[in-house]
Amino acid sequence: VHPSLEIRSIRIADHYQEVYHLLHQLHLHELSLFDKTATWDDIGTGYMRHVIQMQEENDGLCLMAYVGNAPVGLIFGYTEDEDDDSRIEVYKGMALYVSDGVVLAEYRKSGIYTKLNAMLEQHYIDKGVKRIIRFTLHNNAKMQHFLQKEGYNITRLQYEKWLY
Ligand SMILES: CC(C)(COP(=O)(O)OP(=O)(O)OC[C@H]1O[C@@H](n2cnc3c(N)ncnc32)[C@H](O)[C@@H]1OP(=O)(O)O)[C@@H](O)C(=O)NCCC(=O)NCCS
């Protein structure tokens, strides 16, 4: 569908504005699903600092999808060390945490995210990762459908009580 689609591994700190813009779009989508989502203007800079730090310190990989040199989507993940004797699960070793994923609305439904996700997973599977973790909002039906299709299962439900 997009013959010029190209996926590149990027260092977030070197592509700050492109990543900022895409994460802003992701954030607006989260806001549309959950009204307690903070305003991007308030948290954008801090969130960027967080993803940059995770990429540098936790073997993070950010894959950016370009169509004709315009960034149209990204996926970002990093490793979490599960080798800790306080864990309650059987798994020990590195887990991949998929932290962010978005494709611009006008480029959706053409397989871009499927490709980004497959490449991200394979990168860490090649390094020996056998557990992949991710969160999504309870009402993000599209993402849940995608995850079920890609072999993920629900393990926990997070309940919250908001007192205001
Ligand atoms: C979720 C999201 C990243 C998916 O991106 P995407 O690039 O549209 O995903 P894909 O195109 O790979 O797959 C989506 C659908 O398009 C279908 N598709 C893939 N290639 C296709 C093609 N060539 N023609 C038609 N449909 C196609 C897929 O089968 C899939 O359909 P399904 O959901 O019915 O199975 C995107 O919708 C998005 O950015 N949403 C908002 C942000 C968000 O929710 N992020 C995740 C937060 S946890």
Side-chain angles (χ1 to χ4, degrees):
V1 178
H2 298 293
S4 68
L5 174 70
E6 201 187 315
I7 292 174
R8 298 180 208 148
S9 167
I10 59 135
R11 185 166 171 257
I12 298 171
D14 295 338
H15 293 260
Y16 191 96
Q17 287 307 329
E18 294 176 356
V19 173
Y20 187 92
H21 175 70
L22 286 166
L23 292 183
H24 186 192
Q25 300 310 303
L26 169 59
H27 199 78
L28 290 172
H29 187 261
E30 296 277 302
L31 177 62
S32 75
L33 294 177
F34 184 43
D35 65 3
K36 297 278 196 295
T37 304
T39 309
W40 182 247
D41 283 350
D42 292 339
I43 62 142
T45 308
Y47 195 74
M48 287 298 292
R49 197 183 318 119
H50 167 71
V51 291
I52 287 169
Q53 187 184 349
M54 291 304 105
Q55 181 170 38
E56 309 289 326
E57 294 177 6
N58 294 322
D59 191 23
L61 180 67
C62 183
L63 298 175
M64 184 85 90
Y66 291 89
V67 171
N69 267 337
V72 301
L74 67 73
I75 194 165
F76 175 58
Y78 55 87
T79 58
E80 286 186 338
D81 193 359
E82 305 287 277
D83 209 2
D84 169 346
D85 61 10
S86 67
R87 297 292 310 188
I88 56 169
E89 288 110 353
V90 289
Y91 182 66
K92 293 204 183 302
M94 278 300 177
L96 165 63
Y97 174 57
V98 183
S99 131
D100 303 275
V102 65
V103 170
L104 294 181
E106 54 273 39
Y107 292 92
R108 287 178 194 160
K109 292 252 164 210
S110 61
I112 293 177
Y113 191 71
T114 304
K115 201 169 277 184
L116 286 170
N117 185 64
M119 284 178 66
L120 185 85
E121 289 186 358
Q122 195 58 51
H123 174 82
Y124 289 97
I125 290 167
D126 290 347
K127 289 170 174 260
V129 160
K130 291 188 172 61
R131 180 183 185 192
I132 305 174
I133 301 164
R134 42 211 298 170
F135 297 105
T136 195
L137 286 168
H138 75 96
N139 53 351
N140 193 341
K142 209 194 280 189
M143 195 60 191
Q144 288 163 30
H145 172 85
F146 174 82
L147 294 174
Q148 303 275 352
K149 206 175 57 174
E150 294 293 329
Y152 290 81
N153 293 304
I154 301 172
T155 55
R156 285 183 179 73
L157 300 176
Q158 174 164 311
Y159 281 82
E160 299 184 6
K161 186 186 280 194
W162 288 70
L163 303 181
Y164 66 96

